[in-house]
Amino acid sequence: MANRNDRRIEPSFDGPRNDAEDDVFSVREEDRVVPSRRKQPAKRKSSKGRAPERGRSRSRKPKRGLFGIFGRLVYWCFVLAIWGGIAAAGIVVYYGAKMPSATTWAIPDRSPNIKIVGVDGQLVANRGMTGGEAVGLHQMSPYIPQAVIAIEDKRFYSHFGFDPIGLARAVSTRFLNGRFTQGGSTLTQQLAKNLFLKPDRTLERKVQEVLLAMWLEQKHTKDQILEMYLNRVFFGSGSYGVEAASRRYFGKSSRDVTLAEAALLAGLLKAPSRLSPARDPKAAGDRAQLVLAAMRDQGMIGDKELANAMNAPATRVASFWTGSENYVADRVMQELPELIGEVQSDIVVDTTVDMTLQEIAEKSIRRLVDENGQKLNVSQGALVSIANTGAVRAMVGGYDYATSQFDRASEARRQPGSAFKPFVYMAALEQGRTPDSMRNDAPIKIGKWTPENYNGKYYGRVTLKTALAKSLNSVAAQLAMEVGPNAVVEAAHRMGIESELQPNVSISLGTSEVTPLELTAAYVPFANGGYRPEVHIIRRVTTTDGKVLYENTAGGGPRVISPEVVGMMNAMMTGAVEEGTAKKAAFAWPAAGKTGTSQNSRDAWFVGFTANLTTGVWFGNDDGKPMKKVTGGALPALAWHEFMVAAHEGVPVAALPGSWTPGSGAPDVAVDDQPAQQMDENTFPPAPKPAKQQVGAVNVRQDQPTASIGRPVPPADVGGGRPVPPGEVGGPTQRRETSILDVLLGN
């Protein structure tokens, strides 16, 4: 009997079957107690069964529309921004750690400026690294900071050291144009770079620049930062700061800069060297118009101001440092270290120079060279004027400082010619001669040397006064032999000549070279009554807050010549102006002086003085080429006259110091008018040793043997002849490769 559980109930097939019935009446394989051994039929494949599966599969896939793409882009940008911020922070921390501690940061001192002013307070020049003094923001023209902000950093007063907007703009233009066309640095960043960093284009430098800019913003106000920037930034052509640039390009202070000029200055900051108006005026002008447009767009100026500035563009000075006052400034810079040492801060140097006289002297030298340069073959001139106290009132070192900075007034050594003769005559007077002493002006031969008068003209018996007024070489040579060359050298050094002088007879005609400054200084004792003052051009040095660092307190100087000799010398040299070789120099004041002309007119001099001022003038050529018959009584006398007339305008007339009455004193014995003869060295007795020098005298070097040079007593008649200096006494000239026959001819 079969088991009940094994019984199966077979469904009826009388009616149609469906899947539901199969589900109800069929026994599934998994419900069986004993698994069936019957093979499972393959699953039916029907289109009805596959369609729902595809539908369900599509419903599970996410939608990938435009919104989804944008969302994922935002997501990844956010992620990248986080990682970029972390990387940037890491870079900042890394490079910031390499910098010194912020507690040690300090604004470095600005390179000191040396402001040089004249005796009347007028600016002579600025010297130093910056080339101009520091100017407060409230002192300079208000157009300058406005123009700089408009073109360089229009959000200066709103950012905190660096400008994210400006930086983003610079980066975007970099990608669009392939190069940086706009700067991203703020004024604060530029200041930080100028103060602390080297101009390296590296990431490290840029990071440090930003950090320092933020520190500056924390420590200083916006106006302080702007003021520091404007006083330190480079404006091209060696100018640092707005004051230096204003004077460099416009010849005026930054206080007086116009709108158009301020726009030009601000435009230079992009590329100071390339846009400098001294190099490319057109490029500088085009850039200035962009600055003006930026100022108008930002409401700093109106349409009317813009139009006026466009119609009247900035006009710059023709050239920089062309004025003769720069010779004065150079001289000041040479002397300054010995007076105050190293310059640590801005200082003011008060000089003795009168800028009005300086300009008159410069114009006179230039005019005479311009009018006579080609005709007379003259290209250079120099002028020095010194007060009785030793204060230099004017000093022109050449025709044009812009083309040649060599100072011919204080550095060029030239042969003075007959302008040296006053020291010969002074030595003779000190040994007992007077202006009335007589000498025979005739051809004379000293060894192989025959000193000839100018144009070969001789006057016979003449007084020393006449001989000096007419600059007779024969008489000067005789006096040099009588007193001895050593006495002449001693007298010249005592009066103020500092150059080395050769103690030979040819020195009587000015063969040893001197500078115009020292030769003029050596005439000052004649003008002030016999005292040698300390020649100086600096009278006081102070800091900008008034602290005195140096002040010239020298007195009148030692007496180097007696009042009697001063009176006699002035009486003789007055003749040169009144009736002698310097008649063109005469004007309404009592004046005296001496002309000088070297061989072939290589040098032409006139040094003259009144009781008020001593002035020396030189004309010539740097290469030593001869001029065309230019003498000391021509161009130098004309320049001296023009300068002294202006210098004495409104000054009460004063007589020259000292006095001498013709005929007073005991003149030495006159000599006969006889032709020159050659005589041996025993004609005159041996010369005694020179007397002890007076206070203020300069020691004379005994470089050459002088035993054969005699200093006679006043000569007496010697039969049918007359005394002639012994032979072989003319030594070599200084710095001239010429023979003794190539000696100077005085005028």
Side-chain angles (χ1 to χ4, degrees), residues 727-739:
E728 306 300 332
V729 295
T733 62
Q734 184 181 13
R735 295 192 182 189
R736 297 288 188 193
E737 297 180 359
T738 56
S739 67

Side-chain angles (χ1 to χ4, degrees), residues 185-468:
S185 296
T186 64
L187 293 179
T188 313
Q189 287 178 256
Q190 295 179 42
L191 177 61
K193 179 179 63 176
N194 292 337
L195 291 177
F196 303 104
L197 303 174
K198 297 179 180 179
D200 301 329
R201 293 180 177 272
T202 62
L203 179 61
E204 177 180 1
R205 199 272 298 165
K206 197 66 178 179
V207 171
Q208 293 175 347
E209 177 185 300
V210 172
L211 293 175
L212 289 167
M214 296 177 67
W215 175 79
L216 285 172
E217 292 278 351
Q218 292 294 321
K219 293 292 183 180
H220 302 278
T221 65
K222 289 287 187 179
D223 285 347
Q224 289 174 334
I225 291 172
L226 184 58
E227 181 177 306
M228 283 190 287
Y229 175 83
L230 291 175
N231 278 298
R232 297 173 185 249
V233 68
F234 181 54
F235 283 92
S237 298
S239 303
Y240 290 84
V242 292
E243 182 68 13
S246 299
R247 294 193 179 277
R248 166 66 179 87
Y249 297 120
F250 313 124
K252 64 172 67 173
S253 171
S254 60
R255 298 168 174 83
D256 305 320
V257 165
T258 65
L259 172 59
E261 293 165 345
L264 188 144
L265 292 178
L268 298 178
L269 297 176
K270 180 180 180 181
S273 298
R274 179 172 58 85
L275 295 175
S276 169
R279 176 181 178 179
D280 193 342
K282 184 179 184 304
D286 293 342
R287 178 69 177 171
Q289 292 188 4
L290 294 178
V291 176
L292 291 171
M295 295 178 72
R296 175 63 186 88
D297 293 341
Q298 296 172 40
M300 295 179 177
I301 59 175
D303 292 336
K304 184 177 180 180
E305 291 176 296
L306 176 64
N308 291 337
M310 290 287 192
N311 294 330
T315 56
R316 65 183 183 90
V317 292
S319 59
F320 182 53
W321 285 10
T322 183
S324 64
E325 66 274 8
N326 290 287
Y327 292 113
V328 175
D330 289 348
R331 180 73 181 185
V332 167
M333 295 303 295
Q334 291 177 11
E335 297 182 1
L336 201 57
E338 297 182 2
L339 301 180
I340 65 171
E342 184 180 357
V343 179
Q344 300 290 344
S345 60
D346 285 8
I347 60 173
V348 179
V349 179
D350 292 300
T351 69
T352 61
V353 173
D354 187 322
M355 285 300 293
T356 301
L357 298 182
Q358 182 74 22
E359 293 174 2
I360 293 172
E362 178 183 353
K363 290 179 180 179
S364 180
I365 295 294
R366 284 196 175 187
R367 180 183 64 80
L368 290 171
V369 172
D370 288 339
E371 293 177 356
N372 302 279
Q374 293 184 349
K375 179 175 61 177
L376 301 178
N377 192 34
V378 56
S379 61
Q380 286 293 348
L383 183 149
V384 179
S385 187
I386 306 175
N388 289 340
T389 60
V392 177
R393 294 304 185 200
M395 189 175 74
V396 178
Y399 172 78
D400 183 11
Y401 183 88
T403 57
S404 175
Q405 291 79 51
F406 178 65
D407 185 5
R408 295 152 191 84
S410 65
E411 297 178 340
R413 284 182 166 81
R414 308 294 292 244
Q415 291 183 336
S418 295
F420 192 84
K421 286 179 181 176
F423 309 118
V424 178
Y425 282 78
M426 187 184 98
L429 296 182
E430 289 180 334
Q431 293 189 11
R433 296 154 185 82
T434 72
D436 284 336
S437 297
M438 302 292 292
R439 290 295 179 273
N440 185 34
D441 177 40
I444 186 173
K445 187 174 183 181
I446 304 175
K448 297 180 181 180
W449 176 43
T450 304
E452 298 179 356
N453 286 345
Y454 186 70
N455 290 333
K457 185 177 182 180
Y458 295 89
Y459 292 84
R461 287 166 51 92
V462 293
T463 64
L464 297 189
K465 184 177 186 297
T466 300
L468 183 60

Side-chain angles (χ1 to χ4, degrees), residues 697-717:
V698 181
N699 292 329
V700 180
R701 293 184 58 182
Q702 303 293 334
D703 294 337
Q704 301 181 12
T706 57
S708 63
I709 301 176
R711 187 180 66 181
V713 294
D717 293 338

Side-chain angles (χ1 to χ4, degrees), residues 558-710:
R559 175 174 286 280
V560 293
I561 181 173
S562 68
E564 294 77 17
V565 174
V566 169
M568 288 189 287
M569 286 299 302
N570 287 347
M572 288 195 293
M573 286 191 285
T574 298
V577 176
E578 293 178 349
E579 58 186 5
T581 57
K583 288 187 289 185
K584 293 181 180 179
F587 71 114
W589 269 62
K594 185 68 187 77
T595 58
T597 309
S598 65
Q599 184 186 21
N600 297 327
S601 293
R602 290 190 177 96
D603 306 280
W605 301 74
F606 178 63
V607 184
F609 54 90
T610 64
N612 181 54
L613 211 56
T614 302
T615 301
V617 183
W618 167 88
F619 280 92
N621 297 300
D622 288 336
D623 56 6
K625 289 183 178 180
M627 295 176 285
K628 295 180 180 179
K629 297 184 178 181
V630 176
T631 65
L635 298 183
L638 291 173
W640 189 93
H641 172 89
E642 185 175 341
F643 175 83
M644 294 293 272
V645 168
H648 288 76
E649 185 176 354
V651 180
V653 177
L656 291 170
S659 62
W660 173 78
T661 303
S664 62
D668 55 352
V669 181
V671 296
D672 295 332
D673 188 3
Q674 297 291 337
Q677 299 180 18
Q678 180 70 42
M679 303 188 71
D680 59 33
E681 61 183 16
N682 296 321
T683 302
F684 299 132
K689 293 182 179 180
K692 186 177 181 180
Q693 296 177 3
Q694 301 184 31
V695 177
V698 181
N699 292 329
V700 180
R701 293 184 58 182
Q702 303 293 334
D703 294 337
Q704 301 181 12
T706 57
S708 63
I709 301 176

